[in-house]
Amino acid sequence: MSEYHIPVLLNESVDGLNLQPGGVYLDLTFGGGGHSKEILKCLDTEGCLLGFDQDEDASVNVPDDDRFIFVNHNFRYLRNFLRYYGYEEVDGILADLGVSSHEFDEAERGFSFRFDAELDMRMNRRSKLTATEVLNNYTAEQLMFIFKNYGEIENTKRLVDMVVKARSIQELHTSEEFYRAIVPCIPKMREKKYLAKVYQALRIEVNGELDALEDMMEQAMEVLKPGGRFVIITYHSLEDRIVKNFLKSGNAEGRVDKDVLFGYINHNLELVNRKVIVPTEEEVARNPRARSAKLRIAKKMS
């Protein structure tokens, strides 16, 4: 049986939190619990860690520890759940974005083109929208937007034309049916990379990932204490652009808001690592998923 999820940049991200034994911390992407377990090692009896994960499968990894609270919901609701559990502020926040190894490896979840399965792709299986619904019911214009903006696919129009033509004959439900429908527009010698982009686009739409990321970052700034750390690991250019912009300017667009009188930037985050942290060659060899990972650390100033 494969490991549920191998944490990426484990030591670097936990060190980046600058953990205080009695502090309150958030692990917004609990998954297999790898990061959470390391954080708990550094906390005393007064410390507390809340772990968020909208995938109910992650609950099997919850540690038997009174200092840990598992929240089976999307991290875009972090502020509400903090208040529910009696906390207004936290000392540090960790988010390891992207899809867990477990979700990729479970064929029936539909996240990977390696398996012939129903095109589901829901991280939260209580939600209604699936990739099958997107492919069969979205308009051509909506599909164009998704594949162009979330997958950054060059031959988007040809791809969408093939999807629309295929579904007019028979609905697309499985990865094999989808593959057969679009195979003529998949570039030779770049099949895996192309399909990865297509699946990424569908997954982002199904789970509302980019909107959730923006909501989470805005709320994180509200609940993080002055001096608190914000540690984020990204995996693809879309989420990395949002994170990079937000940490530098306080908004997803990277729009700089300067004080009219004094000219300084109205933003209370300071980057701890000026240069992005990436995995070592040894880590990538052990865990290929780490290949595209980028770690950024920021500190709240006031």
Side-chain angles (χ1 to χ4, degrees):
M1 182 177 178
S2 61
E3 186 173 347
Y4 186 98
H5 179 73
I6 304 172
V8 174
L9 291 163
L10 178 60
N11 295 327
E12 295 88 342
S13 56
V14 173
D15 289 346
L17 286 169
N18 190 32
L19 293 164
Q20 306 302 309
V24 178
Y25 295 90
L26 303 181
D27 179 353
L28 296 180
T29 45
F30 176 70
H35 288 104
S36 283
K37 289 171 186 174
E38 289 301 309
I39 294 171
L40 287 169
K41 289 178 183 179
C42 301
L43 302 183
D44 61 23
T45 56
E46 298 300 316
C48 180
L49 173 63
L50 286 83
F52 283 72
D53 204 304
Q54 61 184 327
D55 189 342
E56 60 189 15
D57 286 0
S59 63
V60 301
N61 303 310
V62 173
D64 183 14
D65 193 316
D66 291 339
R67 301 168 301 168
F68 183 82
I69 298 171
F70 180 61
V71 184
N72 185 202
H73 288 275
N74 192 296
F75 57 37
R76 73 192 307 171
Y77 306 115
L78 71 90
R79 182 177 51 205
N80 289 342
F81 279 99
L82 262 183
R83 290 174 178 169
Y84 175 80
Y85 287 106
Y87 297 100
E88 290 294 330
E89 295 182 311
V90 299
D91 297 277
I93 299 171
L94 169 65
D96 178 6
L97 305 177
V99 184
S100 76
S101 309
H102 170 76
E103 288 168 330
F104 270 129
D105 292 339
E106 291 292 302
E108 69 272 14
R109 302 298 295 273
F111 282 99
S112 175
F113 51 82
R114 291 180 292 141
F115 310 108
D116 183 24
E118 183 78 18
L119 290 164
D120 190 316
M121 298 194 192
R122 291 173 297 171
M123 293 180 181
N124 178 0
R125 285 184 280 191
R126 292 166 295 190
S127 62
K128 295 181 180 180
L129 184 64
T130 65
T132 297
E133 298 263 341
V134 171
L135 286 172
N136 291 299
N137 299 323
Y138 274 32
T139 65
E141 290 73 21
Q142 288 174 309
L143 291 174
M144 284 280 291
F145 178 88
I146 292 167
F147 289 125
K148 182 178 180 180
N149 292 282
Y150 299 161
E152 299 181 313
I153 295 167
E154 295 179 0
N155 62 347
T156 301
K157 188 177 187 308
R158 190 178 182 205
L159 171 64
V160 172
D161 286 346
M162 288 184 174
V163 170
V164 172
K165 180 179 179 181
R167 75 185 188 185
S168 68
I169 300 171
Q170 181 180 347
E171 285 195 348
L172 305 173
H173 287 275
T174 68
S175 51
E176 178 62 27
E177 292 169 352
F178 183 42
Y179 177 80
R180 289 201 305 265
I182 67 172
V183 68
C185 72
I186 300 175
K188 293 180 180 179
M189 308 302 290
R190 292 196 293 122
E191 183 176 89
K192 288 184 178 179
K193 188 173 182 180
Y194 185 86
L195 288 173
K197 288 184 175 181
V198 170
Y199 272 58
Q200 171 184 293
L202 289 170
R203 191 198 77 223
I204 288 174
E205 173 64 17
V206 168
N207 296 286
E209 291 179 32
L210 301 185
D211 288 339
L213 175 58
E214 291 186 33
D215 287 349
M216 177 270 282
M217 296 193 75
E218 289 173 1
Q219 292 178 43
M221 289 305 92
E222 294 179 25
V223 303
L224 193 62
K225 292 180 181 178
R229 295 289 185 90
F230 196 8
V231 178
I232 306 183
I233 304 172
T234 63
Y235 294 89
H236 60 74
S237 60
L238 299 178
E239 64 189 13
D240 189 61
R241 190 178 305 129
I242 291 173
V243 170
K244 184 178 179 180
N245 285 342
F246 197 97
L247 295 184
K248 287 186 174 182
S249 66
N251 58 78
E253 297 78 26
R255 184 181 63 257
V256 176
D257 179 22
K258 289 188 177 182
D259 182 88
V260 177
L261 293 177
F262 301 102
Y264 58 79
I265 299 175
N266 291 322
H267 182 44
N268 60 356
L269 276 179
E270 178 181 84
L271 291 173
V272 173
N273 59 319
R274 295 292 176 180
K275 186 176 182 181
V276 67
I277 299 171
V278 297
T280 62
E281 292 181 3
E282 290 77 14
E283 179 171 6
V284 172
R286 294 193 307 270
N287 182 11
R289 177 179 177 267
R291 189 182 310 277
S292 60
K294 295 180 180 179
L295 170 64
R296 289 185 166 84
I297 305 167
K299 178 172 66 174
K300 187 172 181 179
M301 301 306 295
S302 60

